[in-house]
Amino acid sequence: MILLLIIADDFTGALDTGVQFAARGIRTRVVVEPDVDFTACEAEVLVVDTETRHLPAANAYDGVFRLTERALRAGVSYIYKKTDSALRGNIGAELAALLKASGCRYLPFLPAFPQMGRITRGGVHYVDGVPVTESPFGIDPFDPVKHSVVTDLIAEQCDLAVRSFPALAAGDSVPRDEGILVFDAADDGDLYSTGSQLLGQGGLHIMAGCAGFGAVLPELLGIAAETPRPLPELDPRLLVVCGSVNPITLAQLDRAESAGFTRLRLTPRQKLEPGYWQSGEGRTELTRIEEMLAASPHCIIETNDRGGNQPTADYAARLGIDRETLRIRIAGSLGCLVNSIFTSPSLGTLLLTGGDTLLQCMSCIGVRELEPLCELENGVVLASFTYNGCTRHVITKSGGFGQESLLTDLAARIARH
């Protein structure tokens, strides 16, 4: 019987929240399958990636509304709308869908992720000490965050009442307001104390937040009982496949290259021409990539142009490709590439960064479900899946997560284990 349904809007986000439960030994499934059969699922925690981050707001609303209705009919006790920790996506529309479908009076929303430097203070969301609109997420080329005041961001996509409140301490009463209630949090203690007051006063049947609040839910809901899973043995060879344009990830790639990682930047044609990897030239390039993997234990394949992405933008303009098609084609090209080299004996542990990249790579391989195992770093998830009877491991992370030395630190950790 499913105790908790987590609804995420992208694949990496689904994993970084699901792993908060799986790492504690709680039976957890992460699927890209909005029509999943609740009655056939044996997991305690089910995480569904609806892939609604880049959809029109009305479509995102409909997807979350229908999924919530089905979950409630199936008797799911708790529903958690997982949001992006930098407030990207259709947050207002999806929170409204959850609240309206549930029939509840209010929906508590705790957007902070203090472990990643993302806090909410006075109703304003901060990333590493600056309002989110002044962070790299404010200039995201595909999904820029336009509001640092959380209530303003939500109100742009829904007509429900939205109010902001300080974190709740022991003995505080839950506000009596209807609608979406946004709570501040500067640390994990704020998340836990607010959640505890909400739970004690019957206010957590539906809830929303990112992996930050997700990390305190196992203890709040009383399901954090088993021993954490040990790190499995991983192939020390590491291939980083990056489709992210986030400056945080770009700094990680530069640091890894300076430490000796072999780095391959795909050309605009390789990224944007449909069927490229099935062409004669593409097959020749795949052979060269396999040779690169065999020769170097640590490799990077990425979709960013050297010195900026203007060459790709110019190539897309010549083809008449709009920004959304550009995003889809780049992720699809990476998916086709990874699928083509997936059975190579030179392929070791995969690290995929960016939700679009993860989704397309797994889709091209034919994988619709990942099992989260543990976090290697905050927001960096180790997962496994079975393909043609063989279990393989993949490391995933959002483009905006991790310290500059993350890739070299992970390579060293895998080699030591």
Side-chain angles (χ1 to χ4, degrees):
M1 179 68 178
I2 299 169
L3 174 69
L4 170 66
L5 169 66
I6 299 172
I7 305 173
D9 67 351
D10 86 327
F11 213 164
T12 54
L15 285 164
D16 70 35
T17 302
V19 75
Q20 308 302 327
F21 301 85
R24 292 168 169 84
I26 301 164
R27 290 175 298 164
T28 305
R29 289 182 61 194
V30 177
V31 302
V32 188
E33 191 61 63
D35 294 327
V36 63
D37 184 353
F38 290 105
T39 60
C41 181
E42 297 180 355
E44 292 177 84
V45 176
L46 175 64
V47 190
V48 177
D49 168 24
T50 57
E51 279 302 306
T52 48
R53 177 169 298 180
H54 301 289
L55 292 182
N59 293 27
Y61 178 97
D62 290 342
V64 172
F65 191 95
R66 290 194 301 270
L67 183 57
T68 300
E69 283 190 318
R70 292 181 54 239
L72 293 172
R73 285 198 298 269
V76 174
S77 300
Y78 299 98
I79 302 178
Y80 185 60
K81 179 66 197 77
K82 192 277 176 185
T83 59
D84 178 60
S85 63
L87 302 181
R88 294 172 295 178
N90 291 297
I91 290 180
E94 297 195 1
L95 295 187
L98 172 58
L99 181 53
K100 289 185 178 181
S102 71
C104 292
R105 188 167 56 85
Y106 65 86
L107 167 63
F109 179 35
L110 292 84
F113 196 173
Q115 290 181 328
M116 299 301 296
R118 298 167 191 194
I119 68 169
T120 313
R121 185 173 60 242
V124 177
H125 201 61
Y126 294 87
V127 173
D128 295 329
V130 302
V132 63
T133 52
E134 298 174 23
S135 76
F137 300 99
I139 56 172
D140 186 298
F142 297 109
D143 195 12
V145 180
K146 299 176 182 178
H147 300 282
S148 295
V149 177
V150 182
T151 53
D152 290 348
L153 182 142
I154 295 171
E156 191 172 71
Q157 287 191 342
C158 77
D159 57 2
L160 297 177
V162 187
R163 288 197 60 191
S164 182
F165 300 91
L168 299 177
D172 287 347
S173 296
V174 174
R176 305 290 296 175
D177 302 62
E178 295 185 358
I180 298 170
L181 314 184
V182 181
F183 290 95
D184 288 351
D187 53 38
D188 288 349
D190 285 344
L191 293 172
Y192 186 85
S193 65
T194 299
S196 181
Q197 298 311 303
L198 288 163
L199 180 66
Q201 298 174 53
L204 278 189
H205 293 298
I206 61 167
M207 50 197 151
C210 65
F213 189 51
V216 305
L217 282 179
E219 186 174 353
L220 277 174
L221 300 181
I223 54 175
E226 299 189 30
T227 304
R229 292 183 177 182
L231 179 66
E233 184 174 347
L234 301 176
D235 191 317
R237 295 169 298 174
L238 179 64
L239 170 61
V240 178
V241 179
C242 172
S244 172
V245 298
N246 193 291
I248 295 171
T249 290
L250 300 186
Q252 294 165 352
L253 299 178
D254 290 342
R255 178 74 167 268
E257 183 180 24
S258 68
F261 277 59
T262 300
R263 186 174 187 175
L264 172 65
R265 301 174 187 268
L266 299 186
T267 67
R269 184 184 173 202
Q270 289 170 336
K271 289 180 283 190
L272 297 178
E273 183 178 296
Y276 174 83
W277 299 110
Q278 289 76 44
S279 69
E281 179 182 325
R283 288 194 294 270
T284 299
E285 287 301 311
L286 288 170
T287 299
R288 292 175 182 170
I289 289 172
E290 291 202 50
E291 292 170 351
M292 176 186 76
L293 297 177
S296 176
H298 303 137
C299 296
I300 296 166
I301 298 175
E302 68 156 317
T303 58
N304 291 286
D305 302 325
R306 187 182 300 276
N309 287 313
Q310 195 58 47
T312 296
D314 292 342
Y315 190 86
R318 290 197 296 272
L319 296 178
I321 296 174
D322 62 23
R323 182 166 294 186
E324 180 64 10
T325 304
L326 174 71
R327 179 184 68 82
I328 293 171
R329 284 201 186 178
I330 289 175
S333 175
L334 280 179
C336 289
L337 189 162
V338 170
N339 183 47
S340 297
I341 62 173
F342 192 75
T343 57
S344 169
S346 299
L347 182 65
T349 301
L350 269 173
L351 189 157
L352 304 176
T353 181
D356 291 339
T357 302
L358 174 62
L359 177 69
Q360 291 301 323
C361 288
M362 294 296 99
S363 294
C364 288
I365 293 168
V367 175
R368 303 291 290 175
E369 178 175 346
L370 291 175
E371 181 183 5
L373 301 176
C374 62
E375 280 188 302
L376 300 177
E377 301 272 353
N378 287 332
V380 180
V381 178
L382 175 66
S384 67
F385 61 92
T386 301
Y387 175 75
N388 283 347
C390 176
T391 298
R392 299 204 66 150
H393 293 99
V394 60
I395 301 169
T396 73
K397 82 172 193 75
S398 166
F401 282 174
Q403 70 277 11
E404 189 171 304
S405 61
L406 175 66
L407 302 181
T408 53
D409 292 346
L410 287 174
R413 180 176 178 182
I414 292 171
R416 288 195 306 268
H417 185 71

